[in-house]
Amino acid sequence: MNTEFVNITVENLLNEHLCCIIRSRKPHQGIDAKRQWLSERLQEGHVFRKLNDKAAVFIEYAPLETAWVPIVGENFYYIYCLWVNGASNKGKGYGKALMEYCLADTKKKGKSGICMLGAKKQKSWLSDQSFAKKFGFSVVDTTENGYELLALSFDGTTPKFAQDVKTQKIDREELTIYYDMQCPYVYQRIEMVKQLCGEKGVPVSFFSVDTLQKAKALPCVFNNWAVFYKGIFETVNLLDAAGFERILKK
């Protein structure tokens, strides 16, 4: 069993695979966009730690002050993603090892705690909140449509959703998607949605969240993707064809 982990750095970024998408060294626009996004974030204290193998086993977290999410607080880390994928990787303690590393790093850096996005009902593309709760995470803020902010606080302080998060409405009726390039799957999903909308004659608008200020001011929860339809927030899930159809039926 491989127990060696490695952190992505500015120096090794171009040579290490990004294990969200396991593939050869062939060009991949989603991965290229992720590398560019990471190259800037690493200088802000962003951490990408992964199993030193071609496996989707990793954690990504960042100082909340510079995390591209509409969550505010002081001296917290924000976990974007904690993922152990594939049957061959399950049950080996990888998730526990990654979370314990984050906890130790948090305490070493003198942080007040850690937070992450969750939901009353577990949603795809969000880290497993039941796993996080085993480490002491609890709900510290909520939205009316079932999303939750989970936090583990070491000093009694807690973060919260930014002021505009609970708006959950925009002035656009067409399918509207906010995105950033933190996830390498985003590029693929944008292309897929464009194709589906073109085939069905469905108007769609895409808005690139390309600054920290835009991310903090979003009118809904966000982890790298957010979908509105008929002016109402629908999901942070990356759309597949079935999800696309379900939304259009509303």
Side-chain angles (χ1 to χ4, degrees):
M1 178 177 128
N2 186 356
T3 58
E4 181 183 355
F5 291 86
V6 61
N7 285 22
I8 299 293
T9 66
V10 173
E11 290 73 25
N12 68 15
L13 176 59
L14 293 179
N15 297 319
E16 292 288 343
H17 75 85
L18 299 181
C19 48
C20 305
I21 296 179
I22 305 300
R23 57 183 294 119
S24 68
R25 293 181 179 272
K26 293 180 181 179
H28 184 289
Q29 289 174 298
I31 293 178
D32 291 343
K34 166 80 172 190
R35 288 192 199 280
Q36 178 59 43
W37 190 89
L38 261 183
S39 69
E40 300 171 5
R41 304 287 78 74
L42 289 171
Q43 301 173 55
E44 301 168 350
H46 185 107
V47 176
F48 187 123
R49 183 172 176 82
K50 69 186 185 72
L51 188 67
N52 193 19
D53 199 354
K54 283 198 171 182
V57 178
F58 66 97
I59 188 171
E60 276 192 84
Y61 60 92
L64 183 56
E65 291 87 347
T66 56
W68 285 30
V69 290
I71 298 168
V72 294
E74 294 183 2
N75 207 34
F76 271 73
Y77 269 134
Y78 175 80
I79 296 177
Y80 285 104
C81 191
L82 172 56
W83 198 4
V84 177
N85 194 33
S88 63
N89 297 317
K90 302 288 187 179
K92 295 182 177 179
Y94 290 145
K96 181 174 182 287
L98 289 167
M99 181 65 86
E100 288 179 343
Y101 177 89
C102 180
L103 286 168
D105 193 28
T106 302
K107 293 176 180 178
K108 179 180 177 181
K109 300 288 174 53
K111 298 289 185 182
S112 296
I114 312 169
C115 60
M116 60 183 279
L117 181 63
K120 287 183 179 179
K121 182 179 180 181
Q122 178 67 43
K123 297 180 182 294
S124 60
W125 304 101
L126 288 183
S127 298
D128 185 351
Q129 59 255 28
S130 63
F131 175 76
K133 287 178 179 178
K134 293 178 182 178
F135 289 85
F137 284 74
S138 61
V139 177
V140 296
D141 202 358
T142 62
T143 68
E144 292 182 356
N145 59 343
Y147 285 93
E148 299 174 335
L149 178 60
L150 305 179
L152 173 59
S153 177
F154 301 142
D155 63 7
T157 63
T158 55
K160 61 182 179 181
F161 288 122
Q163 182 176 354
D164 293 337
V165 163
K166 298 179 183 182
T167 304
Q168 301 185 82
K169 294 181 180 180
I170 58 174
D171 293 329
R172 307 180 71 91
E173 288 291 308
E174 73 267 30
L175 184 67
T176 302
I177 296 175
Y178 294 85
Y179 69 93
D180 67 29
M181 286 301 177
Q182 189 264 341
C183 174
Y185 285 102
V186 164
Y187 186 91
Q188 293 177 329
R189 296 309 171 99
I190 289 173
E191 295 304 305
M192 183 206 72
V193 172
K194 285 180 178 177
Q195 180 178 344
L196 291 173
C197 287
E199 292 171 354
K200 296 182 176 295
V202 174
V204 60
S205 295
F206 294 92
F207 291 94
S208 174
V209 180
D210 53 9
T211 68
L212 176 64
Q213 291 71 27
K214 288 181 181 180
K216 293 295 187 188
L218 285 166
C220 62
V221 294
F222 180 81
N223 209 44
N224 51 54
W225 177 272
V227 181
F228 285 80
Y229 186 54
K230 295 182 180 178
I232 304 297
F233 171 67
E234 293 290 341
T235 185
V236 295
N237 290 3
L238 295 181
L239 292 181
D240 56 15
F244 174 81
E245 293 291 345
R246 283 195 298 271
I247 287 176
L248 293 187
K249 288 179 180 178
K250 294 186 176 182

